[in-house]
Amino acid sequence: MAQQQAQVKFTAVKPQLMVKTPKAVDAVNFYKSAFGAAEAGRSACCPPPTAEQNLPNILCAQLELAGCSFVVYNDDSAPYDLHLFLSLLSIFIEEEKIEGIGNQLCLETDDVEAAISKAVSAGAVVEGEVTEGGGACCGGRVGKVKDPYGYVWLICSPSNKCGPVEA
Amino acid sequence: MAQQQAQVKFTAVKPQLMVKTPKAVDAVNFYKSAFGAAEAGRSACCPPPTAEQNLPNILCAQLELAGCSFVVYNDDSAPYDLHLFLSLLSIFIEEEKIEGIGNQLCLETDDVEAAISKAVSAGAVVEGEVTEGGGACCGGRVGKVKDPYGYVWLICSPSNKCGPVEA
């Protein structure tokens, strides 16, 4: 058993971003123009709807960026508007805490300001100032943009300040 | 300007997982044993607290898996328990919809069952059955585990069913 488990190999780590139907195609185009992501493939038929499901517009697209992949998908089974839902949440918890739910995506680049500018040109909104050593990226300059689909992206300079691994 | 923007290059895409203090070290150890992630570095001092902040226990650790990196960080500025908070949310929306907020992480592997078994041995909990062609991974076998820190991971066979990119 232990021997079998030791053989488990993962070939990819892919963040998956759910986007409200029918905005998935827009989102794919946004991530291309804002971040320079390349589309590796898309499907309009996964998963095949089962008898108890009614999912006519499922689309998932795989995007590649900086040697990693992420997936954009929409899901008619999600009945709510993410922005409206987050607004409702803010009744119960301050807005800035909401980002801690789930995970954020950090993009590393040598030119944080140019990257933010390009993302804003594509439709993202800047969140706060670019700070030095802030965020959870282990150092460097860190800015934030929120994309039109509700996701916050950290734009960071490379994390070369991480300390050595402790024993 | 357009020329400058075209030069923006990203060197990494790093999902960032917030873990409630003081569980970040446990989480790092979990991701090593459950998924075979390798620790590339950690820091106990980022960001330096500002005058208006009181962040004594910030820790972020960078983990590497399948050629990609992700970051685990804790944050004393997050006052809530994630599980409690999600329980409260479930008053307003069915539990299974909560996963659509933020993003999920998909791990690709040729042996979904062995990967799930290894994760469970490390402390993860299986969510539902392994399905064929389900999830947002564009095909293959898909299972789900929830880790002890509240994050759901899709464990999928490689997504070789993605269709060609549409024009």
Side-chain angles (χ1 to χ4, degrees):
Chain A
M1 185 63 170
Q3 203 168 27
Q4 183 196 12
Q5 289 182 353
Q7 292 171 359
V8 172
K9 294 284 181 194
F10 292 103
T11 51
V13 180
K14 295 183 186 176
Q16 306 218 334
L17 308 184
M18 191 191 72
V19 174
K20 190 166 178 284
T21 304
K23 293 181 179 171
V25 173
D26 289 346
V28 168
N29 290 334
F30 170 83
Y31 295 127
K32 288 178 185 175
S33 59
F35 303 137
E39 187 171 341
R42 71 168 66 172
S43 169
C45 58
C46 64
T50 61
E52 64 269 32
Q53 287 177 314
N54 179 22
L55 306 172
N57 288 316
I58 284 285
L59 174 139
C60 59
Q62 181 167 319
L63 295 167
E64 294 180 350
L65 180 59
C68 288
S69 299
F70 62 99
V71 170
V72 171
Y73 70 105
N74 62 18
D75 188 347
D76 274 343
S77 68
Y80 55 85
D81 180 291
L82 183 62
H83 293 90
L84 173 62
F85 187 67
L86 291 179
S87 298
L88 291 172
L89 281 190
S90 67
I91 297 170
F92 303 98
I93 193 162
E94 306 104 300
E95 183 103 42
E96 70 264 35
K97 305 301 183 198
I98 292 174
E99 295 163 8
I101 302 172
N103 58 63
Q104 296 183 88
L105 287 169
C106 173
L107 301 178
E108 281 189 2
T109 180
D110 285 325
D111 194 339
V112 170
E113 280 75 7
I116 291 175
S117 170
K118 186 176 179 184
V120 168
S121 295
V125 176
V126 173
E127 299 230 313
E129 302 289 322
V130 173
T131 58
E132 196 76 33
C137 278
C138 297
R141 297 172 59 71
V142 184
K144 276 187 189 181
V145 297
K146 180 182 279 188
D147 72 32
Y149 313 98
Y151 291 104
V152 174
W153 298 74
L154 300 178
I155 312 287
C156 311
S157 56
S159 57
N160 50 11
K161 290 182 184 173
C162 271
V165 179
E166 293 169 19
Chain B
M1 185 64 172
Q3 204 169 27
Q4 183 197 12
Q5 289 183 354
Q7 292 170 359
V8 172
K9 294 283 181 195
F10 293 103
T11 52
V13 180
K14 294 183 187 175
Q16 307 218 334
L17 308 184
M18 191 190 74
V19 173
K20 190 165 179 282
T21 303
K23 294 182 180 171
V25 172
D26 289 346
V28 168
N29 290 334
F30 170 84
Y31 295 128
K32 288 179 185 175
S33 59
F35 303 137
E39 187 170 341
R42 71 169 63 172
S43 169
C45 58
C46 64
T50 61
E52 64 268 33
Q53 288 177 314
N54 179 22
L55 305 173
N57 287 316
I58 285 285
L59 174 139
C60 57
Q62 181 167 320
L63 295 167
E64 294 181 351
L65 179 60
C68 288
S69 299
F70 64 98
V71 170
V72 172
Y73 69 105
N74 62 17
D75 188 346
D76 274 344
S77 68
Y80 55 85
D81 180 289
L82 183 62
H83 293 91
L84 172 62
F85 187 66
L86 291 178
S87 298
L88 291 173
L89 281 190
S90 68
I91 297 169
F92 304 98
I93 193 162
E94 305 104 301
E95 182 102 41
E96 69 265 35
K97 305 302 183 198
I98 292 174
E99 294 163 9
I101 300 172
N103 58 62
Q104 297 183 89
L105 288 169
C106 173
L107 301 178
E108 281 189 2
T109 180
D110 286 325
D111 194 338
V112 171
E113 280 76 7
I116 290 175
S117 170
K118 187 175 178 184
V120 168
S121 295
V125 175
V126 173
E127 299 230 312
E129 301 289 320
V130 173
T131 58
E132 196 76 31
C137 278
C138 297
R141 297 171 60 71
V142 183
K144 275 188 189 180
V145 296
K146 180 181 279 188
D147 71 33
Y149 313 97
Y151 291 104
V152 173
W153 299 75
L154 300 178
I155 312 287
C156 310
S157 56
S159 57
N160 50 10
K161 292 182 185 173
C162 270
V165 179
E166 294 169 19

